Amino acid sequence: MKITRTDALAALTVPSLVSGAALIADWQYASTATAVEFGLAVGAGKLSFVSFAKKWSPALSWSSLAAAAAFTQAGITGLAGPAPGVYAWLASVAASAAARAVYVHHTRHDHMKLAMDQTRLDTAKLRQEMAHHKLVQQTTPEPVQAGPQLTGRTVEETRIRTVVHELFTAELPGCIVERTRTGWTAVLDLPVNLDRAKLRTAWPKVASGMGVSGEFVLEDGALTNQLVAKFIDGDPLTAVVPYQRQTATRFTDPVLLGVDRFLNPVWAELAYSHTLVAGSSKFGKSTLTRSIVIQLADRPDTVVYGMDLKPGAPELTPMLPILQDLAATPEQAHALLDWLKEEMEERGEILAKAGDQEWDPQKHGRPAIWIIEDELAELVRQGDSGPWKKDPASKKQESLLALMRFAGMHFLSATQQPSRKVFGGTTDARGNYANRLSTRMNDADHRRFIFGNTPGWEPGKLDAPGKFLLQSPDHQVPAPYKGMWLTGEEFRSEVARIGATTVRAPVGRRLILPVQGRTNQEKVRAALAKYGNCTRRELEQATGLGEKPVLDAARALGPEVERCDDTRTWRIVPDSVWEAQAIAG
């Protein structure tokens, strides 16, 4: 143990001070001071003994022992005199040094022991923390990594999310599935790493992965990263679509055709465009045509004419109450086509004066015109042969198809036998007919004359009457539709209702078609029976006769036929109307 300078100075100074104080006390108080010193020595010694025995503070124990030695030395100095006092002083110094050394030793030992104890405690704490950390690692499961959210609110949504993730390793930010009358519709929000075109191309794999039996229709969503998948469960078009009466005020209003595969209404814009309706017999072509004609004839700014060259005009004769006129013979067909050309030229002059480009009945005064043709092939067969070889009906119609749309004049042509010749020598109808409808066609080759060679337009695959394909400026994707079913009773009722309010063209400004008759008088009587009061000019148009033969025949029919001076027209006397109707019938 090292004794520092401070320790040595304390060991010499303290006894010297005590001894010096004792000597002064002895000189002053003699034996009384000595007694007090021995008393203090005994007290300090007892305190030291008790402190050691009871393990009190080491500082108290050793300082009281040193005090006992110092007071004993002081007492000896006072009792024995100077010589023994020096000895006692030396003994006191030794005792003081020993006490100081022992105190310092114990104090430093205690500090070292405390430091060692603290080190052991820190080491034990560290070991406990390490053991606790190891225990936590062993007992706590590994943190679950955040995976893709593949669970949806519906079974279909979960399937779509799962299949898309499996095929493209992509998670859909959004997928909303809603039930519809024919299945369900899903609006998919695509992530940045999945292109809409890529998903559309790979959709057959998605459908296969979902394991659903049905048909999907894909459409672009409102946003660039959206794809709409419409699922059709089964065939919704097997059910009958009831006829629904439509109310329209202008010829430009769309026409209701039926429903699509989602049972939504299908409308077609027919104004300023020609329309072709094709289809084999017994598959709904006539019903589809009838529903269109009824809607057109029920509009106040529209008039309808007919052309049906089949014997007896079976398709259009029931529509006579709503038709302005019906051409049922080749002669009448040519007359109708010639009249349409004249009417188109007149309307062109009216538009030129008004500075307009398209016909508006409200502005220009004449109604829109629709010519219903059934069967188009018969017009070509009968209207292009015989005396009309040099001026065929097909060429007249082809010219009108190309020109008369601007004048608010339209063809609605129906055919069972589309061919190159029927369409004016062209291979398809696209050049003339902007709207094309087709029910089932038994001859697969006929489709190219209706829809061209574009893949997907296959009317031969339509599997039930009433189903049809529609190609128009608003319908460019091949899809089946179902037309409204117009029963015979509904058809007759609608014709009677519309026919009661159909406004006929005024005398002198109407189409007059050639009538049948063997003699001039029969022709005049037939014309008056069909058209009612007629001007001389109208009788000439109806009979094909000149002015004098017409007047001679009319006068020869008197008194059955007479001239009305007020209207300057010829008419059948009412009492003999039934006779004229019998002859004309």
Side-chain angles (χ1 to χ4, degrees), residues 320 328-329 332 514-518 521-532 557 560 572 576-585:
L320 277 175
T329 66
Q332 293 177 344
V515 297
Q516 300 295 316
R518 290 176 296 178
Q521 293 181 16
E522 289 178 351
K523 292 179 180 179
V524 169
R525 185 185 292 111
L528 294 175
K530 178 178 180 180
Y531 294 109
L557 290 173
E560 178 184 341
I572 297 178
S576 59
V577 169
W578 64 272
E579 297 178 0
Q581 290 177 341
I583 295 174

Side-chain angles (χ1 to χ4, degrees), residues 379-391:
L379 173 66
V380 177
R381 292 193 191 99
Q382 299 184 39
D384 290 3
S385 60
W388 299 284
K389 284 185 177 180
K390 294 183 179 180
D391 189 18

Side-chain angles (χ1 to χ4, degrees), residues 407-483:
M409 303 165 65
H410 321 78
F411 278 105
L412 174 61
S413 306
T415 182
Q416 297 182 31
Q417 303 170 0
S419 65
R420 182 192 302 268
K421 188 176 182 180
V422 166
F423 298 122
T426 57
T427 57
D428 56 64
R430 285 176 294 181
N432 296 322
Y433 294 94
N435 303 310
R436 285 161 282 161
L437 298 86
S438 178
T439 59
R440 179 179 173 85
M441 300 289 293
N442 291 328
D443 189 341
D445 189 55
H446 283 170
R447 72 163 183 85
R448 67 188 180 93
F449 296 108
I450 306 299
F451 301 112
N453 294 318
T454 305
W457 300 92
E458 300 289 347
K461 295 183 179 180
L462 298 173
D463 56 2
K467 289 186 177 182
F468 66 93
L469 297 177
L470 169 61
Q471 189 178 83
S472 73
D474 297 326
H475 301 83
Q476 294 295 321
V477 178
Y481 303 99
K482 187 67 173 286

Side-chain angles (χ1 to χ4, degrees), residues 60-128:
L60 178 61
S61 301
W62 289 102
S63 61
S64 58
L65 180 60
F71 282 116
T72 300
Q73 177 266 331
I76 294 173
T77 302
L79 182 63
V86 173
Y87 172 76
W89 175 78
L90 292 174
S92 179
V93 169
S96 178
R100 176 69 178 176
V102 171
Y103 172 73
V104 172
H105 170 74
H106 277 280
T107 300
R108 291 181 177 176
H109 178 73
D110 288 343
H111 284 295
M112 292 176 62
K113 184 177 181 181
L114 288 174
M116 293 175 64
D117 290 342
Q118 185 65 40
T119 302
R120 284 195 298 270
L121 290 174
D122 293 341
T123 302
K125 181 180 179 181
L126 181 60
R127 289 177 178 175
Q128 288 180 352

Side-chain angles (χ1 to χ4, degrees), residues 67-241:
F71 282 116
T72 300
Q73 177 266 331
I76 294 173
T77 302
L79 182 63
V86 173
Y87 172 76
W89 175 78
L90 292 174
S92 179
V93 169
S96 178
R100 176 69 178 176
V102 171
Y103 172 73
V104 172
H105 170 74
H106 277 280
T107 300
R108 291 181 177 176
H109 178 73
D110 288 343
H111 284 295
M112 292 176 62
K113 184 177 181 181
L114 288 174
M116 293 175 64
D117 290 342
Q118 185 65 40
T119 302
R120 284 195 298 270
L121 290 174
D122 293 341
T123 302
K125 181 180 179 181
L126 181 60
R127 289 177 178 175
Q128 288 180 352
E129 291 178 350
M130 293 175 63
H132 179 265
H133 179 70
K134 184 177 181 180
L135 180 63
V136 169
Q137 288 183 326
Q138 292 176 347
T139 57
T140 303
E142 292 292 332
V144 179
Q145 298 293 330
Q149 298 297 326
L150 304 180
T151 302
R153 292 168 295 180
T154 64
V155 175
E156 293 79 11
E157 181 180 342
T158 300
R159 288 178 178 176
I160 292 177
R161 288 182 175 275
T162 302
V163 174
V164 170
H165 184 265
E166 291 176 350
L167 293 177
F168 306 101
T169 316
E171 180 183 352
L172 296 176
C175 181
I176 301 176
V177 177
E178 294 182 354
R179 289 285 173 183
T180 63
R181 291 178 295 175
T182 59
W184 48 266
T185 298
V187 180
L188 311 180
D189 295 330
L190 308 183
V192 294
N193 62 332
L194 180 57
D195 183 69
R196 182 166 60 185
K198 181 179 180 181
L199 180 59
R200 182 187 283 271
T201 303
W203 190 262
K205 296 182 180 180
V206 177
S208 176
M210 293 182 64
V212 293
S213 58
E215 182 182 359
F216 280 98
V217 176
L218 303 180
E219 298 178 357
D220 291 340
L223 305 177
T224 56
N225 69 326
Q226 281 186 339
L227 183 67
V228 180
K230 297 181 177 180
F231 175 71
I232 304 172
D233 189 4
D235 185 4
L237 299 183
T238 56
V240 174
V241 180

